[in-house]
Amino acid sequence: MSQFLFQSCAAIALTPRAVQILFPLCQTGDVTLHIPSSLASEITPPQGSQIYESSLKDHLTAIWSQYRAFIFVAASGIVVRLIAPLLAHKTEDPAIIVIDPEGQYVISLCSGHQGGADQLTRLIAQQLTATPIITSASTSLNLPGIDILGVPFGWQKGQGDWNGISRICVHQEPIQVIQEAGSTLWQKSLPTEHPFYFGFNEEISFKGRIWITPTSRRFAPSSDIPKVQWHPRVLWVGIGCIRGATQEQITTAVQQVLQKSHLAFEAIAGLATIDIKADEIGLLNYAQSSQLPLKTYTAEILKTVTVPNPSHIVAQAVDTPSVAEAAALSAAKEYGEAVLLVQKQVTEAVTVAIAQAEIEYTGRTGYIGLVGIGPGNITQITPAAKTAITQADVIIGYSLYTDLIQPLQHPAQIIESLPITQEVQRARRAIELAQWGLSVVVISSGDCGIYGMAGLVLEQLSVMGWDGNTPQVEVFPGISALQAAASRVGAPLMHDFCAISLSDLLTPIEVIEKRLEAAAKADFVTAIYNPCSKTRIQPLLTAEKIFLMYRDPLTPVAIVRSVYRQDEEIILTTLGKMLWSHIDMLTTILIGNSTTFFHENWMITPRGYLKNE
Ligand code: SAH
């Protein structure tokens, strides 16, 4: 199910009812249930459950470091006492979530922001159709937590007074944001009321400051206001070295250059060098131990890069006048404009140069969720689709739909609403953000694979030579308009049926007519999508004509507009009188087959059972 958040969660149940409550979470295989042996003998434990013999206190101590999150079904007092001795610091503690013994409320108890408990609480509440209880102050102000702001973009936290700045934020006091690097997408989804001021403003007395920068700043402990620094990973470190240069020599050389130029290690995106160094043990070990990617380039590529300090000697040795500078620039250029920030610094065994890229390296694997949100009421969305929406970094969709799912959104999410006509742009944008490493959902009304965005995004990916895996794609079905409409009028789709869109924007009218004729002739119950717009009426007139050629004018027809929305309208009529009603682009028309009938206000297509009685 959910790709990131449910990983490595333990659920603790002490009663049969608690096991029942947790069952939907354990079913997915992502949450491991832990139960005492006394309980295990009373019930049939779900597959994969872990049974413990010791006291819960001892068991918890034993498994504490194995999980990122613990979910308890118990009184919160008991949980508080159990976890108190185990808590260390909010940067390392697991998320703690408590569900009340009736399963009505899900409480984010501890490690709300950094531990992800708030987010997990929202997801679990959706899974269990319970109410999430989140008490983090920034959430109630609808602000993204400052300490998680850069997570979607892979930014790293630097030194600073993180608690202090969060306090200032919660009190809505003015905070100065000086952003020198990294994405500004987070700024675009802030609520209208927020405490952030961007850049310099001498008239305001700021109570806190956030730097978003590759530079590393030392804040004096006596500093007047709390300051923090986020480091987007924009620095590419170009490295040239002699054969056999040790990991230590490389580490020292990089550290020295960073220190001298006041750049943050956390801002390093990766390392770059010439391909013949791809097997240099010291360099490989350095890359691995600092968890940095290592990019290599051929001499052919490197010698095309203009650098400030080309060297004849280097050119003679490796067939390019620059390794460190040219490699740093080549890597940075893969992420937009590149600037050589630090020219090459030569030590005995190692040469280092640093280039800054325009766009940060996220270090994350992108994801696209193609989500159908149903006809337009939040109760008609599948729990899996809700989960996908809640956990996404970015939601892309037509504004009417992003508004409909607002209750599922959380403050740190980026919402991109594009006008209804810009489907192709929407698909490309989703792919672009996912390729960059973000987790994106593209939402469609109804089902995303029925006249929705799923096909378009997949088609676009295939045009781009997608390998089928990266970015990872998942499709979440939704209730399509034909099912939603049918459910409001009875059971008209009980026998073979088809859907036909009358929109001739993407389909030639001759094709539409051919399909209408085939459907009418073959006695399919037919759902008409996109029936008519202000300027496009003819296809509907043609549809009526074609159906009347093959079906009785008394054939039942349902005209269902804005189904499951506040302005829902339902008209039951007949084929002969169909066009007397108000029909527009928010309408789905269901035309019955030759056996469909009305009973009171219900439209029924027999499956055939009663015929055999
Ligand atoms: N993916 C959507 C279809 C999008 S095409 C789905 O699976 O339902 C748009 C057409 O869908 C509209 O012109 C209308 O015919 C139908 N439609 C979408 N939402 C609807 C609703 N709430 N009520 C009635 N028809 C709807």
Side-chain angles (χ1 to χ4, degrees):
M1 185 208 356
S2 100
Q3 52 158 359
F4 314 116
L5 279 158
F6 277 105
Q7 277 165 17
S8 177
C9 287
I12 315 279
L14 302 171
T15 63
R17 174 82 183 114
V19 174
Q20 242 176 15
I21 291 171
L22 291 167
F23 191 72
L25 303 178
C26 303
Q27 230 179 354
T28 64
D30 297 328
V31 176
T32 310
L33 186 68
H34 290 251
I35 48 176
S37 52
S38 53
L39 176 59
S41 57
E42 264 181 67
I43 57 163
T44 319
Q47 237 187 353
S49 299
Q50 299 228 352
I51 296 157
Y52 59 89
E53 301 287 342
S54 58
S55 69
L56 176 53
K57 186 164 170 267
D58 289 346
H59 183 63
L60 206 55
T61 311
I63 61 170
W64 187 249
S65 58
Q66 290 169 26
Y67 291 97
R68 272 189 47 204
F70 289 88
I71 305 160
F72 294 86
V73 179
S76 50
I78 296 177
V79 179
V80 169
R81 282 175 215 289
L82 272 169
I83 62 167
L86 299 167
L87 294 174
H89 191 267
K90 67 179 185 181
T91 51
E92 51 193 88
D93 291 334
I96 306 293
I97 284 149
V98 181
I99 302 174
D100 73 290
E102 283 308 311
Q104 289 177 6
Y105 301 99
V106 184
I107 307 165
S108 170
L109 191 70
C110 206
S111 299
H113 279 171
Q114 293 178 46
D118 289 355
Q119 177 76 324
L120 197 54
T121 295
R122 287 189 193 96
L123 294 174
I124 293 173
Q126 273 163 25
Q127 294 288 312
L128 306 182
T129 41
T131 307
I133 299 188
I134 294 164
T135 53
S136 310
S138 58
T139 304
S140 56
L141 294 169
N142 209 23
L143 289 172
I146 291 180
D147 53 353
I148 52 171
L149 203 64
V151 172
F153 314 108
W155 300 353
Q156 303 292 305
K157 277 161 76 179
Q159 183 238 331
D161 181 2
W162 292 92
N163 284 337
I165 199 88
S166 295
R167 262 196 312 274
I168 301 292
C169 182
V170 168
H171 290 121
Q172 296 271 57
E173 294 194 273
I175 296 175
Q176 183 180 28
V177 178
I178 304 177
Q179 180 156 11
E180 297 171 335
S183 172
T184 53
L185 273 180
W186 69 277
Q187 298 178 10
K188 302 207 174 91
S189 298
L190 289 172
T192 22
E193 298 274 318
H194 63 75
F196 305 120
Y197 291 80
F198 299 97
F200 296 88
N201 188 333
E202 285 176 4
E203 280 160 29
I204 300 171
S205 139
F206 292 113
K207 296 288 186 287
R209 183 174 303 137
I210 305 173
W211 292 93
I212 303 171
T213 173
T215 302
S216 177
R217 288 183 170 76
R218 288 197 170 279
F219 305 130
S222 59
S223 177
D224 50 343
I225 56 171
K227 294 169 194 152
V228 293
Q229 49 195 333
W230 272 111
H231 300 301
R233 296 177 66 184
V234 288
L235 303 180
W236 288 93
V237 180
I239 296 182
C241 61
I242 58 164
R243 206 25 90 195
T246 64
Q247 181 183 346
E248 247 184 343
Q249 283 171 319
I250 297 170
T251 311
T252 314
V254 175
Q255 264 171 3
Q256 277 172 357
V257 173
L258 289 174
Q259 222 162 32
K260 216 166 98 186
S261 44
H262 305 290
L263 292 170
F265 175 81
E266 292 86 346
I268 300 181
L271 311 174
T273 190
I274 187 165
D275 58 356
I276 52 171
K277 295 282 167 198
D279 59 353
E280 193 66 55
I281 301 294
L283 188 56
L284 290 176
N285 287 344
Y286 175 62
Q288 202 188 15
S289 68
S290 22
Q291 296 188 333
L292 293 170
L294 173 65
K295 290 183 186 268
T296 57
Y297 300 91
T298 59
E300 270 66 54
I301 292 176
L302 294 179
K303 66 180 161 196
T304 62
V305 183
T306 315
V307 294
N309 304 294
S311 150
H312 285 305
I313 305 168
V314 174
Q316 271 169 4
V318 291
D319 199 26
T320 163
S322 167
V323 171
E325 290 182 348
L329 280 167
S330 301
K333 266 191 218 145
E334 292 182 22
Y335 298 84
E337 300 259 311
V339 184
L340 193 68
L341 221 52
V342 182
Q343 296 189 10
K344 74 174 181 188
Q345 308 286 307
V346 187
T347 60
E348 197 185 326
V350 187
T351 307
V352 176
I354 301 181
Q356 178 170 343
E358 182 189 357
I359 299 166
E360 65 270 48
Y361 167 77
T362 63
R364 303 174 77 211
T365 322
Y367 168 87
I368 304 181
L370 301 166
V371 177
I373 61 163
N377 182 308
I378 209 111
T379 61
Q380 305 293 319
I381 307 182
T382 68
K386 285 185 182 175
T387 303
I389 292 169
T390 301
Q391 70 158 24
D393 300 322
V394 187
I395 300 175
I396 295 185
Y398 168 42
S399 47
L400 178 68
Y401 306 147
T402 50
D403 289 349
L404 281 170
I405 53 151
Q406 211 183 353
L408 301 177
Q409 296 166 14
H410 64 81
Q413 273 176 324
I414 299 158
I415 315 294
E416 297 212 344
S417 309
L418 287 168
I420 191 132
T421 47
Q422 299 192 2
E423 285 82 10
V424 177
Q425 285 90 328
R426 243 182 278 161
R428 291 200 182 126
R429 178 71 176 150
I431 295 169
E432 178 192 18
L433 292 173
Q435 280 175 334
W436 184 35
L438 300 195
S439 161
V440 184
V441 292
V442 182
I443 54 171
S444 299
S445 77
D447 184 84
C448 56
I450 298 179
Y451 311 122
M453 291 293 293
L456 176 54
V457 172
L458 288 169
E459 220 181 312
Q460 184 71 43
L461 278 165
S462 91
V463 168
M464 294 164 72
W466 179 49
D467 67 356
N469 296 312
T470 315
Q472 189 199 344
V473 174
E474 258 182 304
V475 185
F476 295 85
I479 298 174
S480 188
L482 68 84
Q483 293 159 289
S487 75
R488 302 294 281 147
V489 299
L493 305 177
M494 274 298 286
H495 217 288
D496 302 336
F497 64 89
C498 67
I500 299 178
S501 163
L502 297 192
S503 169
D504 55 0
L505 274 181
L506 302 169
T507 313
I509 189 70
E510 303 75 48
V511 174
I512 299 174
E513 284 173 11
K514 195 168 94 184
R515 289 181 186 161
L516 285 167
E517 171 127 17
K521 201 165 161 183
D523 205 24
F524 278 110
V525 177
T526 306
I528 305 280
Y529 281 71
N530 300 306
C532 77
S533 70
K534 283 195 187 103
T535 52
R536 177 175 51 75
I537 299 163
Q538 190 53 46
L540 183 59
L541 302 178
T542 311
E544 186 216 30
K545 202 175 90 197
I546 293 174
F547 270 84
L548 279 173
M549 278 161 42
Y550 296 95
R551 268 179 228 182
D552 192 317
L554 291 177
T555 304
V557 166
I559 296 176
V560 186
R561 185 174 181 279
S562 287
V563 61
Y564 285 101
R565 297 188 190 157
Q566 266 168 359
D567 51 343
E568 179 185 273
E569 275 173 50
I570 297 172
I571 296 163
L572 297 180
T573 180
T574 59
L575 187 57
K577 293 181 185 165
M578 177 170 90
L579 298 188
W580 297 8
S581 308
H582 170 63
I583 297 174
D584 63 11
M585 280 300 275
L586 294 176
T587 310
T588 299
I589 303 174
L590 300 176
I591 304 175
N593 69 13
S594 55
T595 65
T596 305
F597 64 95
F598 285 132
H599 175 80
E600 303 295 341
N601 276 339
W602 298 92
M603 182 171 174
I604 304 160
T605 301
R607 175 76 181 91
Y609 297 111
L610 294 187
K611 232 176 21 197
N612 302 335
E613 288 225 319

